[in-house]
């Protein structure tokens, strides 16, 4: 019986392939794939006219715009500061460096609701930071700016953690060569050191974006949740669900998923080109 | 620490680090970059963390104790522990099975399977909860059938567990797959050739080899399982004392303007996060090689 080797997998003397793959596929189907399929099915069952009405309603568009633009903005901020942070952690020695290195992962470990109420407390007009900004008439909490603050928090570790290993493995000889050939430090950094880091930076950007676009827990406390102004798309899904508008919730959710998959795919394509250009980093 | 100057002299640094600095930036630039980083981290990371503990202790020890020992809070703590105690072991089994299939065998569709396993990372937590309401809710696809058989999934423990498994699905497999791949299969093949049974090979060869990356994955999986908010908020119905997890209890207290109590419960979760970070950092320092192999992917 076992003399016939199935064509779709390479032969191996290790046992347990059937069992392991069986468990994986069963769990994956039951917990992830079938439920997601139910989401698309529910959205499709609404019918073209209703789908169009939900998708183009001003409130949906405003929520999607805030979630996507907010996530892009937060990921961009994280790309800049994450790159600086990774640079500082890899290249400089300063007191508390190891502690700070460990602390960067805090947003992975801290439950989002905890982060949400803490950020709301700090950036509220009577909070530690909000109070400093209040005299200049800058409001952070309960405005779209508050949404950005939460999304920056939640995406903070991604860029640092993707860029850090690449910076660590950058060979010292290329920058020495650049310096010996007379390039200024500025030029060495921007034309020799940073280009190979670019693909990792983009990976970090995409991960931070993907996390931020669907983020809920840390945002709703600081956002104020005013429809059309500071209401994020995941909150709109929750609101539709609470009104027992299952199809409406499913349509907004499907739109969100399709949009973010399309964006992630696009960036991955751009990144694949960058990878070809700068080699496999 | 009292010495304020940045110790950038080459002799202070470990050799590898020092070698990099032959062509370093000026001290002013270094100072500014460190200052920018610290300011950024303070605004977005350290201040929120400190705030949790400051606000939690604002009303004193007695109020803190009462907020945590109040029956609804205790029920929330118990439910959070129960959900993690069910969801994490299930994810360990699935993660080990997925890693075994993906890391030890070559088959068609492997990269597709890997991306499906990572899928929950790019799905909004709210949607992770929504899908189960669409399936098992009162108006869901199985709603009527479940009602007829008197089974409750949504707004009850099974729904919370399902949503938690969904959001934490990739954690264990993600840590195990690259580590198992980097180890190869030679040791297992030797054990099998010498006559060890498949289970014995797995338990005495494979598992000890990957135990630290398994622990690492379990640690992250557990932190997320206990702290999950969005997915659980959608499926739980937030019935006090019954389907309220700790993060949901924090939200309810906060929305009822019981800030100090909300932060008291939140401080327990923040403590969990700090313990998780400490263990994670220890693992990274002591088992750097094993984990570096998996980090590279």
């Amino acid at each position: 019986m076992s003399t016939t080797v199935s064509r779709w997998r390479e032969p191996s003397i290790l046992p347990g392939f059937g069992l392991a793959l069986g468990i994986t596929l069963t769990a994956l189907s039951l917990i992830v794939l079938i439920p997601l399929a139910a989401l698309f099915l529910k959205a499709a069952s609404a019918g073209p006219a209703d789908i169009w009405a939900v998708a183009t309603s001003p409130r949906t568009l405003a929520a999607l715009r805030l979630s996507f633009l907010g996530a892009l903005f937060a990921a961009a901020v994280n790309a800049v500061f994450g790159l600086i942070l990774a640079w500082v952690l890899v290249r400089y020695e300063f007191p508390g460096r190891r502690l700070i290195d460990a602390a960067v992962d805090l947003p992975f470990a801290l439950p989002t609701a905890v982060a949400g109420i803490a950020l709301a407390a700090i950036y509220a007009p009577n909070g530690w930071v909000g109070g400093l900004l209040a005299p200049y008439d800058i409001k952070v909490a309960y405005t779209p700016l508050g949404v950005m603050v939460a999304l920056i928090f939640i995406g903070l570790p991604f860029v640092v953690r993707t860029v850090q290993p690449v910076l660590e493995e950058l060979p010292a000889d290329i920058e020495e060569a650049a310096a010996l050939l007379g390039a200024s430090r500025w030029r060495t950094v921007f034309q020799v050191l940073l280009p190979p880091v670019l693909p990792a930076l983009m990976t970090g950007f995409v991960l931070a974006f993907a996390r931020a676009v669907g983020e809920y827990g840390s945002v709703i406390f600081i956002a104020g949740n005013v429809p059309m102004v500071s209401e994020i798309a995941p909150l709109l899904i929750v609101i539709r669900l609470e009104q027992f508008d299952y199809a409406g919730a499913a349509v907004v959710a499907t739109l969100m998923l399709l949009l973010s998959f399309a964006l992630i795919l696009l960036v991955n394509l751009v990144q694949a080109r960058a990878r070809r250009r700068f080699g496999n980093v | 620490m009292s010495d304020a100057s940045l110790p950038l002299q080459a002799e202070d640094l470990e050799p590898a680090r020092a070698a990099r600095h032959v062509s370093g930036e000026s001290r002013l630039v270094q100072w500014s970059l460190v200052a920018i980083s610290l300011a950024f981290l303070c605004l977005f990371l350290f201040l929120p963390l400190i705030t949790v503990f400051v606000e939690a202790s604002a009303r004193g020890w007695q109020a803190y104790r009462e907020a945590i020992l109040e029956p609804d809070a205790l029920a929330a703590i118990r439910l959070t522990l129960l959900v993690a105690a069910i969801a994490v072991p299930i994810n360990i089994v699935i993660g080990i099975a997925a890693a075994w299939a993906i890391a030890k065998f070559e088959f068609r569709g492997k990269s597709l399977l890997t991306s499906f396993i990572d899928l929950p990372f790019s799905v909004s937590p709210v949607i992770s909860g929504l899908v189960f309401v669409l399936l098992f809710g009162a108006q869901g696809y199985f709603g009527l059938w479940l009602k007829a058989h008197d089974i409750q999934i949504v707004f009850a423990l099974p729904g919370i567990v399902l949503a938690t498994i969904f959001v934490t699905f990739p954690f264990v497999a993600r840590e195990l797959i690259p580590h198992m791949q980097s180890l190869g299969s030679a040791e297992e093949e030797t054990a099998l050739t010498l006559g060890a049974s498949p289970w014995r090979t797995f338990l005495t060869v494979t598992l000890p080899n990957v135990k630290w990356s398994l622990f690492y994955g379990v640690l992250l999986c557990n932190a997320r399982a206990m702290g999950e908010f969005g997915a659980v908020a959608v499926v739980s119905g937030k019935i006090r004392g019954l389907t309220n997890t700790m993060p949901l209890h924090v939200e309810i207290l906060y929305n009822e303007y019981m800030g100090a109590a909300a932060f008291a419960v939140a401080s327990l979760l923040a403590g969990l996060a700090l313990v998780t970070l400490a263990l994670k950092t220890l693992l990274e320092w002591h088992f750097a090689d094993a984990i570096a192999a998996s980090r590279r992917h």
Side-chain angles (χ1 to χ4, degrees), chain B residues 12-71:
Chain B
D12 291 346
L13 307 170
E14 43 202 278
R17 208 164 267 280
R20 289 174 188 269
H21 293 282
V22 281
S23 45
E25 291 77 36
S26 74
R27 199 168 273 216
L28 181 70
V29 173
Q30 297 195 7
W31 260 103
S32 323
L33 290 179
V34 172
I36 291 172
S37 302
L38 288 179
F40 181 69
L41 287 181
C42 275
L43 274 180
F44 291 99
L45 222 110
F46 294 123
L47 271 181
L49 187 65
I50 296 166
T51 301
V52 174
F53 293 105
V54 170
E55 296 279 333
S57 56
R59 295 264 168 86
W61 173 242
Q62 195 57 33
Y64 183 84
R65 256 179 65 105
E66 275 166 22
I68 287 169
L69 296 178
E70 177 242 343

Side-chain angles (χ1 to χ4, degrees), chain B residues 27-270:
Chain B
R27 199 168 273 216
L28 181 70
V29 173
Q30 297 195 7
W31 260 103
S32 323
L33 290 179
V34 172
I36 291 172
S37 302
L38 288 179
F40 181 69
L41 287 181
C42 275
L43 274 180
F44 291 99
L45 222 110
F46 294 123
L47 271 181
L49 187 65
I50 296 166
T51 301
V52 174
F53 293 105
V54 170
E55 296 279 333
S57 56
R59 295 264 168 86
W61 173 242
Q62 195 57 33
Y64 183 84
R65 256 179 65 105
E66 275 166 22
I68 287 169
L69 296 178
E70 177 242 343
D72 287 345
L74 282 179
I77 294 172
R78 229 174 287 133
L79 180 63
T80 293
L81 294 176
L82 178 65
V83 169
I86 302 171
V88 174
I90 291 178
N91 264 328
I92 293 177
V93 173
I94 299 171
I96 290 176
W100 183 262
I102 288 171
K104 301 286 185 189
F105 299 91
E106 288 303 324
F107 56 94
R108 238 190 266 171
K110 192 158 117 167
S111 59
L112 187 68
L113 180 63
T114 314
S115 17
F116 275 148
I117 289 175
D118 277 344
L119 195 59
F121 273 155
S122 29
V123 173
S124 168
V126 166
I127 299 178
S128 313
L130 169 71
V131 291
F132 293 106
V133 177
L134 294 180
L135 279 176
F136 305 121
Q139 299 173 44
Y141 286 106
F142 298 107
L144 285 176
W145 187 89
L146 289 171
K147 202 171 172 176
H149 291 78
D150 210 20
I151 304 170
Q152 188 151 25
I153 293 184
V154 167
F155 304 153
L157 180 67
I160 301 174
V161 170
L162 276 174
T164 306
I165 297 176
F166 184 108
V167 291
T168 53
F169 197 85
F171 281 98
V172 176
R174 243 184 119 84
E175 297 303 327
L176 281 183
I177 292 170
H179 192 195
M180 276 196 191
Q181 269 170 342
S182 71
L183 289 173
S185 312
E187 288 186 33
E188 281 87 355
E189 282 164 10
T190 311
L192 288 164
T193 317
L194 290 173
S197 72
W199 275 116
R200 195 168 163 206
T201 307
F202 175 74
L203 291 176
T204 58
V205 178
T206 312
L207 216 49
N209 274 340
V210 297
K211 62 175 183 252
W212 293 117
S213 45
L214 178 63
F215 184 59
Y216 194 92
V218 170
L219 198 65
L220 300 181
C221 178
N222 181 63
R224 183 74 195 262
M226 290 194 174
E228 179 51 29
F229 179 75
V232 172
V234 172
V235 291
S236 103
K238 298 177 194 169
I239 308 160
R240 272 194 163 195
L242 277 180
T243 64
N244 234 3
T245 62
M246 284 169 82
L248 298 180
H249 193 61
V250 169
E251 184 205 16
I252 288 185
L253 291 173
Y254 188 82
N255 287 343
E256 287 173 350
Y257 300 102
M258 297 173 65
F263 277 105
V265 179
S267 72
L268 293 181
L269 288 167

Side-chain angles (χ1 to χ4, degrees), chain A residues 7 86 101 109 127 131 140 147 149 153 167 177 185 204 206 208 211 214 223 229 238 250 256 259 266 270 275 277 281:
Chain A
R7 254 183 250 144
D101 195 2
V140 179
V147 177
V149 168
F153 169 85
L167 273 181
R185 184 62 191 160
V206 172
R211 176 70 208 259
V229 179
V238 173
M256 256 190 86
L259 269 172
L266 184 79
V270 174
R275 226 175 256 274
R277 191 163 157 207
V281 255

Side-chain angles (χ1 to χ4, degrees), chain A residues 10-29:
Chain A
E10 287 177 19
S12 160
I13 72 155
L14 290 186
F17 177 71
L19 179 68
L21 192 68
I23 293 175
T24 309
L25 287 180
T26 311
L28 188 66
S29 308

